[in-house]
Amino acid sequence: MAKYIMALDAGTTSNRAILFDEKAGIVSVSQAEFPQYFPEPGLVEHDAEEIWASMRRVAVQAMEKVHAGYEDIAAIGITNQRETAIVWEKETGKPVGNAIVWQDRRTADFCDQLIANNETAFFQDRTGLIIDPYFSATKIRWILDHYEGARERAEKGELLFGTVETWLIWKLTGGRVHVTDYSNASRTMLFNIHTLKWDKDILEKLDIPGAMLPEARESSCIYGATDPELFGGPIKIAGAAGDQQSALFGQTCFEPGDAKNTYGTGCFLLMNTGEEPVKSSNGLVTTIAWGLDGKVEYALEGSVFVAGSAIQWLRDELKIIDNAPQSEAIAMSVFDSAGCYVVPAFTGLAAPHWDPYARGAVLGLTRGVNRAHLVRATLESLAFQSYDVLKAMEQDLGKPLGTIRTDGGASSNNFLMQFQADLVNEKIDRPACVETTAMGAAFLAGLASGFYKDKEELKKFRVSGAVFTPSMEDADREHRINMWHKAVDCVKGWAREGE
Ligand code: ADP
């Protein structure tokens, strides 16, 4: 009898393999960072071969730690950084160039052209998305435009496209299976989220050959089995979902109205809207949450590009903290941010502003602002940005969201969680196990392989770890939010040519 589900969590900066037991308890974890490439300001790349090699290594290590063989693993579930575009040769498995990462802004001008051509409503109606370099479509087009003969080869079926889960499944199955799941497909800006098909009109508009696209399937189903050489024998691959949808599933947000906010590299607020796709009028995107049991469920999503990575900036560039957890005590050593506001728009602003030309700024500096104020203001910026997407979501829904479930690396910061509860004036509920992204993938794979019984059983696995209750005065809250918005207005359009 298999004892575990193995979740492979392919993050933006690191890969993780986690083994879960039959009660969704973590029995083994192995993690490794992989290199980030920044060829020019605004450009972010990964080497897909490095992602694969590192993921393969951590998977083997996680199994070795508990002396697990392939027969001990009921199934593998994959969750991944979304939108990142990889194009590789079908014959050799060699990528044609580096993967273009979701944060990369190189296609901003092309997106501007699409917007100027009044394509916004068309793309939103079909894909649920807002035209932005963030999504895969324009990145794929860029690759086809910039590598000699790439488009012709793609048309002939010689080149394949995939986001990271597609690439990993392809590698895991020894090049036999070329699939994506609906949640990942819905982030490409090529997928019609209503018909569940690659949209022919969009492919034509963007000059992307359909032949290079993977087959889109449910998020919880058996895609294939691993090449026996990898783990000593075949293991079923039975689940896949984009990291944010996976976290939504891992937080057991199964009912319409259930919402979670993840504080990782970026912040991502998602709310389950059930079988109805809800169209946003406030800068949010409509996305597929998952395909499961013959049904597709949707989510409304607000993304913030820079959150935890602003804390890394404090650590690695400014060098004013030694590690991320230390930011909590430093922030709490001062009463407030002394009027200082940090807008970490390092890669532009996402929801609800959608300005690829915004850049970061520190505002309100006075002679008395010190290191602790700056650290505090940076942490606060995670909560302010989340506040903006939360309010946009409430406007779309016409009602308050209620308690918000949180997770992600930075959610372990108690100062941040309390400040977030204060700003949104709602309770924040952090689970005991914040590995919800990996848990979601494990749940999806566990359901498809029969390792877990049903959603009711999964709900029991989510245990609340801490609840933060708002305690800020209304006037105080209002003042801070006004000042934050003033700061955001200052950074908009900063990097636009000629301005
Ligand atoms: P991802 O999955 O996006 O790679 P994680 O969920 O692993 O990210 O979270 C890592 C991020 O959280 C890093 O950017 C790090 O700076 C931030 N982080 C981790 N711990 C803390 C903390 N205690 N306070 C603030 N930020 C933190």
Short mmCIF file of all heavy atoms in Angstrom, two decimals, residues 38-62:
data_model
loop_
_atom_site.label_atom_id
_atom_site.label_comp_id
_atom_site.label_asym_id
_atom_site.label_seq_id
_atom_site.Cartn_x
_atom_site.Cartn_y
_atom_site.Cartn_z
N PHE A 38 18.74 38.10 -14.82
CA PHE A 38 18.18 39.43 -15.08
C PHE A 38 19.02 40.10 -16.17
O PHE A 38 19.88 40.92 -15.87
CB PHE A 38 18.21 40.28 -13.81
CG PHE A 38 17.57 39.61 -12.62
CD1 PHE A 38 18.34 39.09 -11.58
CD2 PHE A 38 16.19 39.48 -12.52
CE1 PHE A 38 17.76 38.47 -10.48
CE2 PHE A 38 15.59 38.85 -11.43
CZ PHE A 38 16.38 38.35 -10.41
N PRO A 39 18.82 39.72 -17.44
CA PRO A 39 19.70 40.23 -18.50
C PRO A 39 19.66 41.75 -18.65
O PRO A 39 20.63 42.35 -19.07
CB PRO A 39 19.18 39.55 -19.77
CG PRO A 39 18.05 38.69 -19.38
CD PRO A 39 17.78 38.81 -17.93
N GLU A 40 18.52 42.36 -18.33
CA GLU A 40 18.38 43.83 -18.42
C GLU A 40 17.32 44.21 -17.41
O GLU A 40 16.54 43.36 -17.00
CB GLU A 40 17.82 44.23 -19.80
CG GLU A 40 18.84 44.30 -20.91
CD GLU A 40 18.13 44.56 -22.25
OE1 GLU A 40 17.20 45.39 -22.28
OE2 GLU A 40 18.52 43.90 -23.22
N PRO A 41 17.26 45.51 -17.03
CA PRO A 41 16.19 45.90 -16.11
C PRO A 41 14.82 45.51 -16.67
O PRO A 41 14.56 45.71 -17.85
CB PRO A 41 16.32 47.42 -16.02
CG PRO A 41 17.74 47.70 -16.39
CD PRO A 41 18.14 46.64 -17.36
N GLY A 42 14.00 44.90 -15.84
CA GLY A 42 12.65 44.51 -16.28
C GLY A 42 12.57 43.13 -16.92
O GLY A 42 11.49 42.63 -17.20
N LEU A 43 13.73 42.52 -17.18
CA LEU A 43 13.73 41.18 -17.79
C LEU A 43 14.08 40.13 -16.74
O LEU A 43 15.01 40.33 -15.95
CB LEU A 43 14.78 41.11 -18.92
CG LEU A 43 14.30 41.51 -20.32
CD1 LEU A 43 13.71 42.90 -20.34
CD2 LEU A 43 15.44 41.41 -21.33
N VAL A 44 13.33 39.04 -16.73
CA VAL A 44 13.58 37.97 -15.76
C VAL A 44 13.50 36.62 -16.49
O VAL A 44 12.49 36.33 -17.14
CB VAL A 44 12.55 37.98 -14.60
CG1 VAL A 44 12.97 36.99 -13.51
CG2 VAL A 44 12.39 39.37 -14.00
N GLU A 45 14.56 35.83 -16.38
CA GLU A 45 14.59 34.54 -17.08
C GLU A 45 14.99 33.40 -16.14
O GLU A 45 15.64 33.64 -15.11
CB GLU A 45 15.61 34.60 -18.24
CG GLU A 45 15.25 35.63 -19.29
CD GLU A 45 16.26 35.69 -20.44
OE1 GLU A 45 17.30 35.02 -20.35
OE2 GLU A 45 15.97 36.40 -21.41
N HIS A 46 14.60 32.19 -16.50
CA HIS A 46 15.07 30.97 -15.85
C HIS A 46 15.61 30.04 -16.93
O HIS A 46 15.21 30.15 -18.09
CB HIS A 46 13.92 30.23 -15.15
CG HIS A 46 13.38 30.93 -13.95
ND1 HIS A 46 12.11 30.73 -13.48
CD2 HIS A 46 13.95 31.83 -13.10
CE1 HIS A 46 11.91 31.46 -12.40
NE2 HIS A 46 13.00 32.15 -12.16
N ASP A 47 16.46 29.13 -16.51
CA ASP A 47 16.91 28.08 -17.41
C ASP A 47 16.03 26.85 -17.11
O ASP A 47 16.10 26.29 -16.01
CB ASP A 47 18.39 27.79 -17.14
CG ASP A 47 18.93 26.66 -18.01
OD1 ASP A 47 18.13 25.84 -18.51
OD2 ASP A 47 20.16 26.58 -18.17
N ALA A 48 15.21 26.46 -18.09
CA ALA A 48 14.25 25.37 -17.86
C ALA A 48 14.96 24.07 -17.49
O ALA A 48 14.43 23.27 -16.71
CB ALA A 48 13.37 25.18 -19.09
N GLU A 49 16.14 23.87 -18.04
CA GLU A 49 16.90 22.65 -17.70
C GLU A 49 17.29 22.68 -16.22
O GLU A 49 17.30 21.64 -15.55
CB GLU A 49 18.17 22.54 -18.56
CG GLU A 49 17.90 22.33 -20.04
CD GLU A 49 17.51 20.90 -20.40
OE1 GLU A 49 17.13 20.13 -19.50
OE2 GLU A 49 17.59 20.57 -21.60
N GLU A 50 17.62 23.87 -15.72
CA GLU A 50 17.98 23.98 -14.30
C GLU A 50 16.76 23.73 -13.41
O GLU A 50 16.87 23.12 -12.35
CB GLU A 50 18.59 25.36 -14.00
CG GLU A 50 20.01 25.47 -14.50
CD GLU A 50 20.62 26.87 -14.37
OE1 GLU A 50 19.88 27.85 -14.13
OE2 GLU A 50 21.84 26.98 -14.53
N ILE A 51 15.61 24.20 -13.86
CA ILE A 51 14.38 23.94 -13.08
C ILE A 51 14.16 22.43 -12.98
O ILE A 51 13.89 21.89 -11.91
CB ILE A 51 13.15 24.62 -13.74
CG1 ILE A 51 13.29 26.15 -13.66
CG2 ILE A 51 11.85 24.15 -13.08
CD1 ILE A 51 12.13 26.91 -14.28
N TRP A 52 14.28 21.76 -14.12
CA TRP A 52 14.04 20.32 -14.14
C TRP A 52 15.07 19.57 -13.28
O TRP A 52 14.72 18.72 -12.45
CB TRP A 52 14.02 19.81 -15.58
CG TRP A 52 14.23 18.32 -15.72
CD1 TRP A 52 15.21 17.70 -16.41
CD2 TRP A 52 13.44 17.28 -15.13
NE1 TRP A 52 15.09 16.34 -16.30
CE2 TRP A 52 14.00 16.05 -15.52
CE3 TRP A 52 12.30 17.26 -14.31
CZ2 TRP A 52 13.49 14.82 -15.11
CZ3 TRP A 52 11.79 16.03 -13.90
CH2 TRP A 52 12.37 14.84 -14.30
N ALA A 53 16.36 19.91 -13.47
CA ALA A 53 17.41 19.19 -12.73
C ALA A 53 17.21 19.38 -11.23
O ALA A 53 17.34 18.42 -10.45
CB ALA A 53 18.78 19.71 -13.15
N SER A 54 16.87 20.60 -10.83
CA SER A 54 16.70 20.87 -9.40
C SER A 54 15.45 20.16 -8.86
O SER A 54 15.47 19.59 -7.77
CB SER A 54 16.66 22.39 -9.19
OG SER A 54 15.61 22.78 -8.40
N MET A 55 14.38 20.13 -9.66
CA MET A 55 13.16 19.46 -9.19
C MET A 55 13.39 17.95 -9.07
O MET A 55 12.95 17.32 -8.10
CB MET A 55 12.00 19.76 -10.15
CG MET A 55 10.68 19.22 -9.68
SD MET A 55 10.26 19.83 -8.02
CE MET A 55 9.18 21.19 -8.44
N ARG A 56 14.09 17.41 -10.02
CA ARG A 56 14.36 15.97 -9.99
C ARG A 56 15.18 15.63 -8.74
O ARG A 56 14.90 14.66 -8.04
CB ARG A 56 15.15 15.64 -11.26
CG ARG A 56 15.48 14.21 -11.39
CD ARG A 56 16.29 13.95 -12.62
NE ARG A 56 16.69 12.56 -12.59
CZ ARG A 56 17.35 11.96 -13.55
NH1 ARG A 56 17.67 12.60 -14.63
NH2 ARG A 56 17.67 10.69 -13.43
N ARG A 57 16.16 16.48 -8.46
CA ARG A 57 17.02 16.26 -7.29
C ARG A 57 16.21 16.32 -5.98
O ARG A 57 16.31 15.45 -5.13
CB ARG A 57 18.13 17.32 -7.27
CG ARG A 57 19.45 16.81 -6.72
CD ARG A 57 20.57 17.85 -6.89
NE ARG A 57 20.70 18.37 -8.23
CZ ARG A 57 20.62 19.67 -8.56
NH1 ARG A 57 20.43 20.59 -7.64
NH2 ARG A 57 20.75 20.06 -9.81
N VAL A 58 15.40 17.36 -5.82
CA VAL A 58 14.66 17.49 -4.55
C VAL A 58 13.64 16.36 -4.39
O VAL A 58 13.40 15.90 -3.27
CB VAL A 58 13.99 18.87 -4.34
CG1 VAL A 58 15.03 19.96 -4.18
CG2 VAL A 58 12.99 19.21 -5.43
N ALA A 59 13.09 15.89 -5.51
CA ALA A 59 12.12 14.78 -5.41
C ALA A 59 12.82 13.53 -4.89
O ALA A 59 12.33 12.86 -3.97
CB ALA A 59 11.49 14.51 -6.78
N VAL A 60 13.99 13.24 -5.45
CA VAL A 60 14.74 12.06 -5.00
C VAL A 60 15.14 12.22 -3.53
O VAL A 60 14.99 11.30 -2.72
CB VAL A 60 15.99 11.85 -5.90
CG1 VAL A 60 16.92 10.80 -5.31
CG2 VAL A 60 15.56 11.46 -7.31
N GLN A 61 15.61 13.42 -3.18
CA GLN A 61 16.03 13.66 -1.78
C GLN A 61 14.87 13.50 -0.81
O GLN A 61 15.02 12.89 0.26
CB GLN A 61 16.62 15.06 -1.63
CG GLN A 61 18.04 15.16 -2.17
CD GLN A 61 18.50 16.61 -2.32
OE1 GLN A 61 17.73 17.54 -2.04
NE2 GLN A 61 19.72 16.80 -2.75
N ALA A 62 13.71 14.05 -1.17
CA ALA A 62 12.56 13.97 -0.26
C ALA A 62 12.18 12.51 -0.03
O ALA A 62 11.82 12.11 1.08
CB ALA A 62 11.39 14.75 -0.82
#
